Amino acid sequence: GAGVSQTPSNKVTEKGKYVELRCDPISGHTALYWYRQSLGQGPEFLIYFQGTGAADDSGLPNDRFFAVRPEGSVSTLKIQRTERGDSAVYLCASSLTSAGRDNEQFFGPGTRLTVL
Amino acid sequence: SQQGEEDPQALSIQEGENATMNCSYKTSINNLQWYRQNSGRGLVHLILIRSNEREKHSGRLRVTLDTSKKSSSLLITASRAADTASYFCAMLISSGSARQLTFGSGTQLTVLP
């Protein structure tokens, strides 16, 4: 079956620009997570959705970052006024439900964002 | 900030040898999961061990968990060149309503043919 997909796979933008990153979770998965991974580091949590609502956005670094999931499926991570420090791989994951005991998460291939 | 630490940071072995990676963490957990990552892209789930389990096997993988020491190890037996990748431990912490994974810093494994 289809896994988590993310588009674009690579995004190069200029400092100060606005970008949108898209995530398509596994069909039927109600929980969706965004992580950010800098070079040589493990992924760090940004935000997660249970259904349409953001259940925990404590990992968003500042108010330039925002994410939506209006219909409880596809999610878009939005970054305003990009800075060079935003350059990283942005990973999306989904799980059947966030309430499950194990909460096994399945990851997409990521979007590599480069801010020049 | 990373809540998990892995060692070694890098490991280089010959094909056929066993590879052991260790993970230490700071908080109480529901479970601990190990992931593999090739070339800095998508993470592949390898194995999950619950907080009430001490050892688990899957194919050539063996995971142990010691909650008293807040540590876990991943053993890959009879390694192959194709096992070359970064390996991360990830904790599902048992604090409040948090459901996100907290990742370690990763071990870069190189298996030489």
Side-chain angles (χ1 to χ4, degrees):
Chain A
V4 178
S5 61
Q6 292 185 245
T7 55
S9 56
N10 286 284
K11 176 70 176 178
V12 180
T13 190
E14 293 179 341
K15 181 175 178 294
K17 298 290 188 183
Y18 167 83
V19 296
E20 290 189 352
L21 311 179
R22 177 189 166 108
C23 172
D24 279 88
I26 292 172
S27 178
H29 281 195
T30 63
L32 184 148
Y33 310 78
W34 284 98
Y35 294 84
R36 178 169 74 171
Q37 185 177 23
S38 300
L39 191 63
Q41 301 290 318
E44 293 187 314
F45 168 74
L46 296 176
I47 183 172
Y48 95 85
F49 293 84
Q50 177 58 49
T52 60
D56 186 343
D57 64 357
S58 61
L60 294 177
N62 51 60
D63 61 6
R64 295 187 298 105
F65 288 73
F66 189 71
V68 295
R69 195 186 186 201
E71 297 178 357
S73 178
V74 170
S75 176
T76 305
L77 178 66
K78 308 180 180 192
I79 311 174
Q80 298 178 320
R81 305 183 303 281
T82 53
E83 299 176 357
R84 291 193 180 86
D86 298 336
S87 296
V89 175
Y90 289 81
L91 295 162
C92 176
S94 70
S95 64
L96 196 58
T97 170
S98 63
R101 177 182 177 183
D102 290 337
N103 198 26
E104 183 175 339
Q105 297 179 22
F106 298 84
F107 282 79
T111 293
R112 185 179 300 280
L113 175 66
T114 303
V115 182
L116 302 175
Chain B
S1 63
Q2 305 282 174
Q3 290 295 316
E5 294 294 329
E6 292 182 58
D7 77 274
Q9 287 187 324
L11 178 62
S12 185
I13 59 174
Q14 294 290 326
E15 206 164 27
E17 294 181 337
N18 296 340
T20 300
M21 290 160 267
N22 303 296
C23 170
S24 60
Y25 57 91
K26 299 176 182 175
T27 61
S28 296
I29 61 171
N30 285 325
N31 65 53
L32 188 144
Q33 305 177 35
W34 284 89
Y35 286 83
R36 166 197 168 119
Q37 186 178 46
N38 288 84
S39 304
R41 298 309 289 263
L43 291 146
V44 175
H45 187 269
L46 295 176
I47 193 166
L48 178 152
I49 186 164
R50 294 174 177 165
S51 59
N52 61 352
E53 297 176 317
R54 292 296 167 259
E55 186 171 314
K56 205 160 183 181
H57 297 255
S58 176
R60 294 185 295 115
L61 305 179
R62 173 179 169 250
V63 169
T64 62
L65 179 65
D66 186 335
T67 52
S68 66
K69 295 181 180 177
K70 291 187 166 58
S71 68
S72 173
S73 67
L74 171 67
L75 168 68
I76 304 174
T77 60
S79 63
R80 305 166 182 169
D83 293 330
T84 295
S86 292
Y87 291 82
F88 294 91
C89 62
M91 287 66 71
L92 184 66
I93 64 174
S94 55
S95 171
S97 60
R99 301 305 291 169
Q100 65 271 26
L101 294 173
T102 300
F103 283 83
S105 48
T107 293
Q108 172 61 50
L109 173 66
T110 302
V111 181
L112 303 169

